[in-house]
Amino acid sequence: PWVADYRDPWKEIVYNQNQQRTAWAEKRDGRLERMAINRADGIVTISRDIQRLLEGKCERVKPVKVVFNGYDNKPEPLPRNECPIITYTGALSETRVPTPLLPALAQLREEGVRFRLKFIGNICPEFRRLVEEHGFGPDTEFIPYLPHSESVQNINGSDVLLLVIDNVPNNKGILTGKLFEYIGARRPILAIGNTEGEARQIIDECQCGEMLDYADVEGVKRVLREWYACWREGKVACSFANSSAYSRKSLTGELARFLDEIMARREGK
């Protein structure tokens, strides 16, 4: 049996939403997508929104299973930084710019609430320019891509972890791998994105942070002010309830049961 694993949608992947493609390319891509989907005995994907999308493209009913990316990192004790550090890891493209973050931080700075920023990975010029325009150059560190182990060390050495969901039309099902790694680190997650998407649902379920809209400066300011107060008292701002369901050990069990189901269906034909 063959199980097709979709880390992303095929035709609806993020970078296809921001470029014009020829009719020939669209038709050819669609034919390849249908061929792959319909030849598979089963499909695994990473979000319920993508699951629904793929189910709608199957010419016959077949099992489509959601297995989230999950985490396998272990939390470490809270660091004692001179001021709280907000860290982002991974690529930050033009569609992922955390628009309300810098205005909120600028207003908090006037209240005497100061955060430092750390960005690890490939950061777009547009955001670097915004950092300078808001006067956060001295409080911001840009670090090139690091080996994964070093990236995890920086996550564990942070007080708040920043997540940004791409600001594109079809983004409800976007679940980046870093969301689950952030959950495993047990650091509060400041998420900016679609407040009706799956990332918001998981953050709420795990009680591990808050998802704010792309224009919600006041919301970001409120959350960071509350978390700053917790930091001063040496407290963790979130409870992280229900997060064990997203451990890779738990999710591997789900995948194994799905593969058993595919084998049973194949043998029953």
Side-chain angles (χ1 to χ4, degrees), residues 128-264:
R128 289 175 180 264
R129 185 175 63 252
L130 288 173
V131 167
E132 295 300 326
E133 288 176 357
H134 283 84
F136 281 100
D139 284 335
T140 303
E141 186 177 5
F142 291 107
I143 303 172
Y145 279 114
L146 295 174
H148 182 255
S149 60
E150 294 181 31
S151 178
V152 170
Q153 289 175 11
N154 278 274
I155 287 174
N156 289 331
S158 303
D159 302 282
V160 176
L161 300 174
L162 176 64
L163 175 74
V164 188
I165 302 298
D166 292 85
N167 191 1
V168 294
N170 299 312
N171 63 357
K172 286 187 177 181
I174 294 178
L175 290 175
T176 64
K178 71 167 66 68
L179 167 60
F180 300 97
E181 196 160 64
Y182 284 2
I183 292 172
R186 291 181 173 266
R187 301 290 188 268
I189 300 171
L190 176 66
I192 297 170
N194 189 328
T195 56
E196 297 180 356
E198 284 187 68
R200 161 72 180 275
Q201 295 169 19
I202 290 174
I203 288 170
D204 287 352
E205 177 189 344
C206 294
Q207 299 175 38
C208 61
E210 288 206 38
M211 174 73 77
L212 288 308
D213 185 77
Y214 299 103
D216 193 357
V217 175
E218 287 300 315
V220 172
K221 187 168 64 172
R222 169 186 57 80
V223 169
L224 290 180
R225 186 188 291 114
E226 292 172 1
W227 291 355
Y228 183 83
C230 290
W231 171 82
R232 291 194 65 177
E233 297 176 9
K235 297 178 180 178
V236 179
C238 303
S239 68
F240 297 93
N242 308 315
S243 60
S244 61
Y246 296 100
S247 72
R248 286 190 178 153
K249 182 176 181 180
S250 174
L251 295 171
T252 299
E254 291 189 25
L255 178 59
R257 287 187 287 275
F258 181 69
L259 296 177
D260 287 341
E261 176 190 338
I262 297 297
M263 283 297 272

